[in-house]
Amino acid sequence: MKTENLTHLHILIVDGKAGNARLLRGILLALGIANVVMAENTDQALETMAITNFHVVFCDEAVGPLDAAEFVLAVRRKAKVRNPRAAMVLVSDGPQRAQVEQVRDAGINDLIVRPLSMNSVERKLHTLLFAPKRFVESEAFFGPDRRREKDRRAGEAENSAPLHDRREGQLLRRRTDPRGPSAR
């Protein structure tokens, strides 16, 4: 991957554990990203985001005083931040399904699991910036499209081709097919 495409980025790291924040900052600096700011907590992060336009925010799962989901909601909907559409990444030691669903529903873009490597961070940045998910803005939700790519394609092509059943290896017609199951 070409790291020169990343050098212009402004990145915020929100992590109360100085060692974790320094490690991630070191990886970002090694990728050629010089504009890296660190915040020890969510209050400091929101203050910083009100005056600086960040492209990407890495947020530790155990940050405070707001938890990760509350922080994402504050950035997306409540706080007066310069860029509420900044790509937001949860940094986790091993997320539980409930936590992933909670931050996804709050508007997080993606997550990355420790131990971090330069390759994993670089891949994540390229995905977020050069193949971003569509952004959804409604009364109920503000953030990246929560559907997976294959779900999104299926929704867009709902009225076109028949569906494929992986269990039986057969092509099935939609349930709205007036010919019913005997048409198979």
Side-chain angles (χ1 to χ4, degrees):
M1 292 188 190
K2 297 182 179 180
T3 57
E4 63 268 17
N5 293 331
L6 304 176
T7 58
H8 70 284
L9 296 177
H10 287 93
I11 296 183
L12 176 63
I13 300 170
V14 187
D15 196 332
K17 301 172 202 145
N20 288 343
R22 281 194 308 269
L23 174 64
L24 179 54
R25 184 174 188 273
I27 290 171
L28 295 168
L29 291 173
L31 290 171
I33 303 167
N35 298 314
V36 180
V37 176
M38 297 190 297
E40 292 180 10
N41 59 55
T42 55
D43 290 343
Q44 185 182 13
L46 290 171
E47 289 174 15
T48 304
M49 292 181 78
I51 56 174
T52 304
N53 183 8
F54 291 99
H55 298 101
V56 181
V57 177
F58 287 92
C59 177
D60 183 72
E61 66 184 341
V63 74
L66 298 176
D67 69 24
E70 293 168 332
F71 175 65
V72 173
L73 279 173
V75 170
R76 297 289 191 226
R77 299 183 186 178
K78 300 174 185 170
K80 295 180 181 175
V81 299
R82 300 247 348 230
N83 184 9
R85 292 176 182 246
M88 299 189 72
V89 180
L90 178 71
V91 182
S92 176
D93 292 328
Q96 300 297 314
R97 181 183 179 124
Q99 179 190 31
V100 172
E101 290 172 352
Q102 185 181 27
V103 293
R104 178 204 62 202
D105 293 345
I108 200 105
N109 290 73
D110 214 335
L111 65 94
I112 192 166
V113 179
R114 288 187 187 96
L116 301 178
S117 71
M118 188 160 34
N119 287 336
S120 65
V121 172
E122 183 178 25
R123 276 193 313 270
K124 189 67 63 185
L125 289 172
H126 275 269
T127 300
L128 291 168
L129 300 167
F130 302 117
K133 293 180 181 178
R134 185 172 57 99
F135 216 82
V136 176
E137 187 171 359
S138 70
E139 287 184 31
F141 180 74
F142 183 75
D145 194 340
R146 297 176 283 191
R147 296 177 290 178
R148 294 191 176 275
E149 184 63 31
K150 70 177 186 175
D151 295 338
R152 190 168 41 250
R153 283 193 315 261
E156 291 169 359
E158 187 175 68
N159 294 321
S160 59
L163 301 176
H164 181 65
D165 186 347
R166 291 184 187 148
R167 293 169 298 179
E168 299 174 5
Q170 301 175 350
L171 290 178
L172 303 176
R173 299 204 183 274
R174 291 191 322 263
R175 291 185 182 175
T176 57
D177 187 345
R179 296 179 290 172
S182 62
R184 286 187 249 156

